[in-house]
Amino acid sequence: MSDFPNQNASPTPSTDRIWSVLAHLGGIVAGLIPALIIYLVKKDQPSAQFDADQAKEALNFQITVLIGYVVCWVLVFVIIGAFLIWVLMLANLVLCIVAAIKANNGEAYRYPMTLRLIK
């Protein structure tokens, strides 16, 4: 008999989905780097398919946000870009937090208006 009664039990939800949450929240601070690292590490692990899927979704969103920042910097010369960059920053913040909450609850989140470049 084992000394640990729940040795074969699955991890708790807080530790099981932490990588998914970090992939989404990492986009607020460091852009696409955290999602890229988590996706590259987790994509080949059969037990971490949820984490890999959510990291891929976060990576696609951060690539879309990066493209949006480039467009906003070009539009700064027409004045509208200065306003749009703040809108994009706020949207990134809100959507990343919503995605992290959904991922923590075990729900697969899909960002709206995201280019799905990584399949």
Side-chain angles (χ1 to χ4, degrees):
M1 186 139 186
S2 173
D3 293 336
F4 303 102
N6 292 328
Q7 184 177 4
N8 294 329
S10 63
T12 61
S14 62
T15 59
D16 189 25
R17 294 181 283 267
I18 190 69
W19 293 109
S20 301
V21 173
L22 289 176
H24 290 296
L25 290 180
I28 297 171
V29 179
L32 57 88
I33 301 299
L36 177 63
I37 292 171
I38 292 170
Y39 175 67
L40 291 175
V41 169
K42 298 289 184 177
K43 72 177 180 176
D44 295 328
Q45 296 178 3
S47 63
Q49 288 305 309
F50 180 76
D51 294 334
D53 176 62
Q54 290 302 293
K56 179 172 56 173
E57 184 66 22
L59 180 59
N60 281 326
F61 179 67
Q62 291 305 319
I63 291 170
T64 304
V65 168
L66 181 64
I67 292 169
Y69 282 140
V70 170
V71 170
C72 286
W73 278 113
V74 170
L75 291 176
V76 163
F77 298 109
V78 191
I79 307 297
I80 189 101
F83 171 72
L84 289 178
I85 205 161
W86 288 103
V87 171
L88 187 58
M89 289 170 63
L90 181 64
N92 185 28
L93 175 71
V94 170
L95 290 173
C96 285
I97 291 172
V98 169
I101 291 169
K102 294 282 187 176
N104 192 37
N105 292 335
E107 302 172 36
Y109 183 75
R110 297 288 174 238
Y111 288 96
M113 297 181 287
T114 299
L115 301 172
R116 306 272 188 285
L117 301 173
I118 310 294
K119 302 281 181 189

